[in-house]
Amino acid sequence: MNSIKLVKKMLLSIVVPVYNEEDNVEKFYEEAIKAVGTIDMDYEIIFVDDGSKDATPLMLSRLTQQDEHVRALILARNFGHQLAITCGMDHAQGDAVITMDGDLQHPPVMIPDLVKKWQEGYEVVQTIRVSTDDANFLKRTTSKWYYKIINAISQVDIVPGGSDFRLIDRKVLETFMLFREHDRFIRGMMGDIGYKRTTIKFVAPPRYAGKSKFSPRKMLRFALDGITAYSTMPLRASLYIGLLSGLLSVFLIIHVLYCKLAGLAVPGWATTMIVVSLAGGLQLIFLGIIGEYIGRIFEEVKRRPLYWIRAELGRHRK
Protein backbone atom coordinates (compact mmCIF):
# COMPACT_ATOMS: atom_id res chain seq x y z
CA MET A 1 0.00 0.00 0.00
CA ASN A 2 1.43 3.33 -1.07
CA SER A 3 1.83 5.85 1.73
CA ILE A 4 0.48 9.31 1.18
CA LYS A 5 2.86 12.08 2.17
CA LEU A 6 1.09 15.17 3.45
CA VAL A 7 2.71 18.44 2.42
CA LYS A 8 2.33 21.14 5.02
CA LYS A 9 1.30 24.50 3.62
CA MET A 10 3.49 27.52 4.13
CA LEU A 11 2.25 29.77 6.92
CA LEU A 12 1.64 33.51 6.53
CA SER A 13 1.54 35.68 9.66
CA ILE A 14 -0.23 39.04 9.55
CA VAL A 15 0.70 41.32 12.45
CA VAL A 16 -1.75 44.13 13.18
CA PRO A 17 -1.13 46.66 16.01
CA VAL A 18 -4.33 48.34 17.21
CA TYR A 19 -5.07 51.09 19.71
CA ASN A 20 -8.66 52.17 20.39
CA GLU A 21 -9.81 50.75 17.04
CA GLU A 22 -13.19 49.29 18.05
CA ASP A 23 -14.77 50.74 14.90
CA ASN A 24 -12.17 49.25 12.56
CA VAL A 25 -11.27 45.81 13.91
CA GLU A 26 -14.16 43.79 12.47
CA LYS A 27 -14.02 45.53 9.08
CA PHE A 28 -10.28 44.92 8.87
CA TYR A 29 -10.78 41.26 9.79
CA GLU A 30 -13.42 40.83 7.06
CA GLU A 31 -11.20 42.44 4.41
CA ALA A 32 -8.12 40.46 5.50
CA ILE A 33 -10.03 37.16 5.35
CA LYS A 34 -11.14 37.94 1.79
CA ALA A 35 -7.57 38.72 0.79
CA VAL A 36 -5.90 35.63 2.28
CA GLY A 37 -8.64 33.46 0.80
CA THR A 38 -7.14 34.09 -2.65
CA ILE A 39 -3.67 32.69 -1.81
CA ASP A 40 -2.64 29.08 -1.29
CA MET A 41 -1.17 29.46 2.19
CA ASP A 42 -2.22 28.77 5.73
CA TYR A 43 -2.39 31.95 7.78
CA GLU A 44 -2.65 33.55 11.20
CA ILE A 45 -3.76 37.07 12.03
CA ILE A 46 -2.07 38.42 15.15
CA PHE A 47 -3.71 41.51 16.60
CA VAL A 48 -1.63 43.38 19.18
CA ASP A 49 -3.76 45.57 21.42
CA ASP A 50 -1.55 48.43 22.59
CA GLY A 51 -3.37 49.25 25.83
CA SER A 52 -6.73 50.24 24.30
CA LYS A 53 -9.24 51.93 26.59
CA ASP A 54 -12.30 51.17 24.46
CA ALA A 55 -13.97 47.88 23.51
CA THR A 56 -11.15 46.74 21.22
CA PRO A 57 -9.92 43.91 23.55
CA LEU A 58 -13.46 42.52 23.86
CA MET A 59 -13.88 42.49 20.10
CA LEU A 60 -10.53 40.76 19.66
CA SER A 61 -11.54 38.17 22.23
CA ARG A 62 -14.68 37.42 20.24
CA LEU A 63 -12.72 37.08 17.00
CA THR A 64 -10.27 34.62 18.56
CA GLN A 65 -13.21 32.49 19.75
CA GLN A 66 -14.94 32.36 16.39
CA ASP A 67 -11.83 31.88 14.20
CA GLU A 68 -8.86 29.69 15.10
CA HIS A 69 -6.69 31.66 12.68
CA VAL A 70 -6.91 34.76 14.88
CA ARG A 71 -4.66 35.45 17.85
CA ALA A 72 -4.62 38.52 20.10
CA LEU A 73 -1.86 39.80 22.35
CA ILE A 74 -3.19 42.27 24.93
CA LEU A 75 -0.39 44.47 26.22
CA ALA A 76 -0.42 45.57 29.86
CA ARG A 77 -0.32 49.25 28.87
CA ASN A 78 0.32 51.51 25.91
CA PHE A 79 3.90 50.93 24.72
CA GLY A 80 3.64 52.71 21.38
CA HIS A 81 3.17 51.65 17.77
CA GLN A 82 6.73 50.46 17.13
CA LEU A 83 6.88 48.21 20.19
CA ALA A 84 3.41 46.83 19.45
CA ILE A 85 4.65 45.81 16.01
CA THR A 86 7.75 44.29 17.60
CA CYS A 87 5.61 42.25 20.01
CA GLY A 88 3.56 40.80 17.14
CA MET A 89 6.67 39.98 15.15
CA ASP A 90 8.26 38.26 18.15
CA HIS A 91 5.22 35.97 18.38
CA ALA A 92 4.71 35.39 14.64
CA GLN A 93 5.21 31.80 13.52
CA GLY A 94 4.93 32.25 9.76
CA ASP A 95 7.35 31.52 6.96
CA ALA A 96 6.54 35.08 5.87
CA VAL A 97 5.30 37.94 8.04
CA ILE A 98 3.26 40.97 6.99
CA THR A 99 2.98 43.98 9.30
CA MET A 100 0.19 46.48 8.69
CA ASP A 101 -2.06 48.91 10.53
CA GLY A 102 -5.64 48.03 11.42
CA ASP A 103 -7.30 51.25 10.26
CA LEU A 104 -7.51 50.06 6.61
CA GLN A 105 -5.10 52.73 5.38
CA HIS A 106 -2.87 49.76 4.63
CA PRO A 107 -5.26 48.00 2.21
CA PRO A 108 -5.64 44.26 2.95
CA VAL A 109 -6.42 43.75 -0.73
CA MET A 110 -2.67 44.17 -1.36
CA ILE A 111 -1.75 41.10 0.70
CA PRO A 112 -1.73 38.74 -2.34
CA ASP A 113 0.57 41.17 -4.21
CA LEU A 114 3.09 41.13 -1.35
CA VAL A 115 2.97 37.32 -1.16
CA LYS A 116 3.49 37.04 -4.93
CA LYS A 117 6.68 39.13 -4.72
CA TRP A 118 7.90 36.96 -1.84
CA GLN A 119 7.24 33.82 -3.89
CA GLU A 120 9.35 35.36 -6.66
CA GLY A 121 12.31 35.28 -4.27
CA TYR A 122 12.29 38.69 -2.58
CA GLU A 123 12.94 38.61 1.17
CA VAL A 124 11.66 42.12 1.98
CA VAL A 125 8.67 43.52 0.13
CA GLN A 126 8.30 47.17 1.16
CA THR A 127 5.23 49.20 0.27
CA ILE A 128 5.68 52.83 -0.77
CA ARG A 129 2.87 55.22 0.01
CA VAL A 130 2.54 57.51 -3.01
CA SER A 131 -0.08 59.66 -1.29
CA THR A 132 -2.71 59.55 1.43
CA ASP A 133 -6.24 60.55 0.49
CA ASP A 134 -7.03 62.32 3.76
CA ALA A 135 -3.57 63.78 4.48
CA ASN A 136 -3.39 67.58 4.69
CA PHE A 137 -0.77 69.78 3.04
CA LEU A 138 1.27 70.20 6.25
CA LYS A 139 1.55 66.46 6.85
CA ARG A 140 2.54 65.76 3.25
CA THR A 141 5.16 68.51 3.26
CA THR A 142 6.72 67.63 6.63
CA SER A 143 6.84 63.94 5.68
CA LYS A 144 8.58 64.73 2.39
CA TRP A 145 11.24 66.91 3.99
CA TYR A 146 11.73 64.59 6.96
CA TYR A 147 12.81 61.76 4.66
CA LYS A 148 15.09 64.12 2.75
CA ILE A 149 16.77 65.24 5.97
CA ILE A 150 17.13 61.81 7.57
CA ASN A 151 18.60 60.31 4.39
CA ALA A 152 21.03 63.23 4.14
CA ILE A 153 22.39 62.77 7.68
CA SER A 154 22.08 58.98 8.03
CA GLN A 155 24.14 56.17 6.55
CA VAL A 156 21.03 53.97 6.32
CA ASP A 157 18.85 54.37 3.23
CA ILE A 158 15.23 54.94 4.26
CA VAL A 159 12.82 54.91 1.33
CA PRO A 160 10.68 58.09 1.17
CA GLY A 161 7.03 57.18 1.58
CA GLY A 162 7.96 53.89 3.19
CA SER A 163 5.63 52.69 5.92
CA ASP A 164 5.37 49.80 8.34
CA PHE A 165 3.27 47.94 5.79
CA ARG A 166 5.66 45.30 4.48
CA LEU A 167 6.30 41.58 4.08
CA ILE A 168 9.49 39.97 5.35
CA ASP A 169 10.84 36.44 5.05
CA ARG A 170 11.38 34.28 8.11
CA LYS A 171 15.17 34.69 7.96
CA VAL A 172 14.73 38.49 7.94
CA LEU A 173 12.45 38.22 10.97
CA GLU A 174 15.02 36.17 12.87
CA THR A 175 17.64 38.83 12.15
CA PHE A 176 15.26 41.60 13.20
CA MET A 177 14.62 39.85 16.52
CA LEU A 178 18.30 40.29 17.38
CA PHE A 179 17.74 44.06 17.50
CA ARG A 180 16.44 44.84 21.00
CA GLU A 181 16.78 48.61 21.46
CA HIS A 182 13.87 50.38 23.14
CA ASP A 183 13.63 53.57 21.09
CA ARG A 184 13.13 51.89 17.77
CA PHE A 185 12.52 53.13 14.26
CA ILE A 186 11.57 49.97 12.39
CA ARG A 187 11.75 51.58 8.95
CA GLY A 188 15.39 52.40 9.59
CA MET A 189 16.06 48.98 11.10
CA MET A 190 14.71 47.28 7.99
CA GLY A 191 16.92 49.47 5.82
CA ASP A 192 19.89 48.53 7.99
CA ILE A 193 19.20 44.77 7.85
CA GLY A 194 19.56 44.46 4.10
CA TYR A 195 18.50 41.26 2.24
CA LYS A 196 16.95 41.06 -1.22
CA ARG A 197 14.18 43.63 -1.42
CA THR A 198 11.64 45.15 -3.74
CA THR A 199 8.90 47.76 -3.45
CA ILE A 200 5.21 48.10 -4.28
CA LYS A 201 3.53 51.50 -4.55
CA PHE A 202 0.06 52.28 -3.27
CA VAL A 203 -2.29 55.13 -2.46
CA ALA A 204 -3.41 55.05 1.17
CA PRO A 205 -7.19 55.42 1.43
CA PRO A 206 -8.80 57.44 4.24
CA ARG A 207 -9.27 55.76 7.62
CA TYR A 208 -12.36 53.56 7.62
CA ALA A 209 -13.50 55.01 10.97
CA GLY A 210 -12.19 57.05 13.89
CA LYS A 211 -9.29 59.46 14.06
CA SER A 212 -5.55 58.93 13.79
CA LYS A 213 -3.86 58.10 17.10
CA PHE A 214 -0.64 59.77 15.92
CA SER A 215 -0.83 63.18 17.57
CA PRO A 216 1.69 65.89 16.57
CA ARG A 217 3.57 65.13 19.81
CA LYS A 218 3.82 61.42 18.96
CA MET A 219 4.84 62.21 15.38
CA LEU A 220 7.60 64.51 16.65
CA ARG A 221 8.90 61.85 19.04
CA PHE A 222 8.77 59.26 16.24
CA ALA A 223 10.78 61.60 14.00
CA LEU A 224 13.37 62.20 16.74
CA ASP A 225 13.67 58.45 17.33
CA GLY A 226 14.45 57.97 13.65
CA ILE A 227 17.13 60.66 13.61
CA THR A 228 18.85 59.77 16.88
CA ALA A 229 18.73 56.03 16.17
CA TYR A 230 20.55 56.28 12.85
CA SER A 231 22.59 59.44 12.89
CA THR A 232 25.10 61.19 15.13
CA MET A 233 25.09 64.19 12.82
CA PRO A 234 23.25 66.45 15.33
CA LEU A 235 26.06 65.89 17.83
CA ARG A 236 28.69 66.54 15.20
CA ALA A 237 26.84 69.63 14.00
CA SER A 238 26.81 70.90 17.59
CA LEU A 239 30.60 70.59 17.67
CA TYR A 240 31.05 72.38 14.35
CA ILE A 241 28.69 75.22 15.22
CA GLY A 242 30.34 75.52 18.64
CA LEU A 243 33.75 75.86 17.01
CA LEU A 244 32.40 78.44 14.60
CA SER A 245 30.82 80.40 17.45
CA GLY A 246 34.11 80.29 19.35
CA LEU A 247 35.97 81.60 16.31
CA LEU A 248 33.46 84.42 15.83
CA SER A 249 33.75 85.33 19.50
CA VAL A 250 37.54 85.68 19.12
CA PHE A 251 37.01 88.18 16.28
CA LEU A 252 34.42 89.97 18.40
CA ILE A 253 36.87 90.25 21.31
CA ILE A 254 39.53 91.64 18.97
CA HIS A 255 37.02 94.18 17.65
CA VAL A 256 36.04 95.23 21.19
CA LEU A 257 39.68 95.64 22.23
CA TYR A 258 40.39 97.72 19.14
CA CYS A 259 37.44 100.02 19.86
CA LYS A 260 38.56 100.32 23.48
CA LEU A 261 42.15 101.20 22.64
CA ALA A 262 41.09 103.60 19.90
CA GLY A 263 38.73 105.40 22.23
CA LEU A 264 35.70 104.44 20.14
CA ALA A 265 33.96 102.41 22.79
CA VAL A 266 30.30 103.35 23.24
CA PRO A 267 27.99 101.71 25.75
CA GLY A 268 26.55 98.84 23.68
CA TRP A 269 23.76 97.39 25.74
CA ALA A 270 21.79 96.14 22.71
CA THR A 271 24.79 94.46 21.11
CA THR A 272 25.76 92.80 24.37
CA MET A 273 22.26 91.47 24.93
CA ILE A 274 22.04 90.11 21.38
CA VAL A 275 25.38 88.31 21.67
CA VAL A 276 24.58 86.88 25.11
CA SER A 277 21.11 85.76 24.03
CA LEU A 278 22.43 84.12 20.87
CA ALA A 279 25.20 82.29 22.70
CA GLY A 280 22.87 81.20 25.49
CA GLY A 281 20.25 79.96 23.04
CA LEU A 282 22.78 77.93 21.08
CA GLN A 283 24.12 76.38 24.27
CA LEU A 284 20.63 75.33 25.37
CA ILE A 285 19.88 73.82 21.96
CA PHE A 286 23.10 71.81 21.98
CA LEU A 287 22.52 70.67 25.55
CA GLY A 288 19.06 69.52 24.47
CA ILE A 289 20.53 67.51 21.59
CA ILE A 290 23.09 65.91 23.88
CA GLY A 291 20.33 65.23 26.41
CA GLU A 292 18.29 63.35 23.80
CA TYR A 293 21.17 60.95 23.17
CA ILE A 294 21.98 60.58 26.87
CA GLY A 295 18.30 59.86 27.60
CA ARG A 296 18.32 57.03 25.08
CA ILE A 297 21.51 55.62 26.58
CA PHE A 298 19.82 55.74 30.00
CA GLU A 299 16.82 53.76 28.72
CA GLU A 300 19.02 51.10 27.14
CA VAL A 301 21.32 50.49 30.12
CA LYS A 302 18.34 49.72 32.37
CA ARG A 303 17.80 46.62 30.20
CA ARG A 304 14.08 46.45 30.89
CA PRO A 305 11.85 44.28 28.69
CA LEU A 306 10.53 46.00 25.57
CA TYR A 307 6.93 45.19 26.52
CA TRP A 308 4.88 42.87 28.70
CA ILE A 309 1.66 41.06 27.88
CA ARG A 310 -1.44 41.07 30.07
CA ALA A 311 -3.30 38.35 28.15
CA GLU A 312 -2.73 36.12 25.13
CA LEU A 313 -5.87 35.00 23.30
CA GLY A 314 -6.19 32.33 20.63
CA ARG A 315 -4.01 29.30 20.10
CA HIS A 316 -0.48 28.81 18.84
CA ARG A 317 -0.27 27.02 15.52
CA LYS A 318 2.74 24.89 16.54
Side-chain angles (χ1 to χ4, degrees):
M1 182 176 179
N2 294 329
S3 61
I4 300 176
K5 184 178 181 180
L6 297 177
V7 179
K8 184 179 179 181
K9 282 187 176 182
M10 302 288 276
L11 177 63
L12 174 67
S13 296
I14 302 173
V15 173
V16 188
V18 290
Y19 176 64
N20 293 341
E21 297 288 3
E22 61 182 2
D23 296 325
N24 291 314
V25 166
E26 288 191 354
K27 180 63 176 178
F28 175 89
Y29 167 76
E30 293 170 1
E31 294 298 321
I33 292 299
K34 291 178 185 177
V36 296
T38 64
I39 58 179
D40 186 27
M41 291 183 71
D42 197 0
Y43 66 92
E44 63 175 0
I45 302 176
I46 305 174
F47 289 98
V48 184
D49 180 78
D50 191 22
S52 294
K53 294 178 173 57
D54 61 1
T56 300
L58 295 176
M59 301 178 74
L60 295 179
S61 177
R62 185 168 67 247
L63 288 176
T64 61
Q65 292 173 16
Q66 72 183 39
D67 188 345
E68 65 177 9
H69 292 92
V70 178
R71 295 167 57 194
L73 305 171
I74 312 300
L75 298 182
R77 63 169 176 81
N78 180 258
F79 287 90
H81 183 262
Q82 300 294 281
L83 288 178
I85 292 177
T86 301
C87 174
M89 294 172 74
D90 287 345
H91 289 78
Q93 300 168 309
D95 300 287
V97 178
I98 292 176
T99 58
M100 58 193 306
D101 292 343
D103 56 9
L104 296 170
Q105 288 196 296
H106 295 164
V109 70
M110 292 182 60
I111 291 175
D113 297 329
L114 272 66
V115 172
K116 182 179 179 181
K117 289 294 184 182
W118 173 64
Q119 292 172 337
E120 291 175 2
Y122 293 101
E123 295 158 322
V124 178
V125 185
Q126 175 68 59
T127 65
I128 304 297
R129 185 180 60 251
V130 177
S131 64
T132 304
D133 286 345
D134 60 351
N136 57 38
F137 173 77
L138 179 61
K139 186 173 182 179
R140 292 195 302 270
T141 303
T142 54
S143 177
K144 174 184 176 181
W145 281 102
Y146 172 70
Y147 282 107
K148 285 182 178 294
I149 292 171
I150 195 171
N151 279 316
I153 66 177
S154 171
Q155 296 181 349
V156 177
D157 182 32
I158 301 173
V159 181
S163 67
D164 289 312
F165 180 23
R166 68 177 65 82
L167 178 149
I168 62 174
D169 185 81
R170 184 77 204 178
K171 64 172 70 74
V172 181
L173 174 63
E174 291 173 353
T175 302
F176 173 81
M177 290 169 65
L178 299 175
F179 291 61
R180 305 312 289 177
E181 62 261 36
H182 283 75
D183 294 306
R184 48 186 47 215
F185 184 63
I186 295 178
R187 300 172 199 184
M189 295 167 74
M190 286 297 168
D192 196 21
I193 285 177
Y195 289 96
K196 186 178 181 181
R197 61 183 59 231
T198 189
T199 59
I200 297 179
K201 295 182 179 180
F202 77 102
V203 175
R207 286 176 58 88
Y208 176 73
K211 297 181 179 180
S212 174
K213 309 307 184 295
F214 257 91
S215 64
R217 179 172 174 271
K218 288 184 177 180
M219 291 178 66
L220 178 60
R221 179 170 178 78
F222 183 62
L224 286 174
D225 286 343
I227 292 173
T228 55
Y230 285 96
S231 176
T232 58
M233 182 59 73
L235 290 174
R236 192 170 294 117
S238 299
L239 172 62
Y240 294 156
I241 295 175
L243 291 173
L244 178 61
S245 298
L247 181 62
L248 291 176
S249 67
V250 170
F251 286 115
L252 180 60
I253 291 171
I254 294 173
H255 172 70
V256 170
L257 291 175
Y258 170 77
C259 292
K260 181 70 174 178
L261 294 174
L264 301 175
V266 175
W269 179 83
T271 303
T272 302
M273 291 302 297
I274 291 172
V275 172
V276 171
S277 298
L278 178 61
L282 287 174
Q283 288 174 355
L284 290 175
I285 291 172
F286 298 151
L287 285 174
I289 293 173
I290 295 170
E292 283 291 326
Y293 282 93
I294 293 175
R296 280 155 175 74
I297 295 171
F298 176 65
E299 289 297 325
E300 297 300 328
V301 298
K302 287 189 289 188
R303 302 185 63 84
R304 291 179 179 175
L306 299 182
Y307 56 83
W308 41 97
I309 298 173
R310 177 166 60 87
E312 185 170 353
L313 310 175
R315 69 178 185 86
H316 289 275
R317 302 186 63 78
K318 288 185 180 179

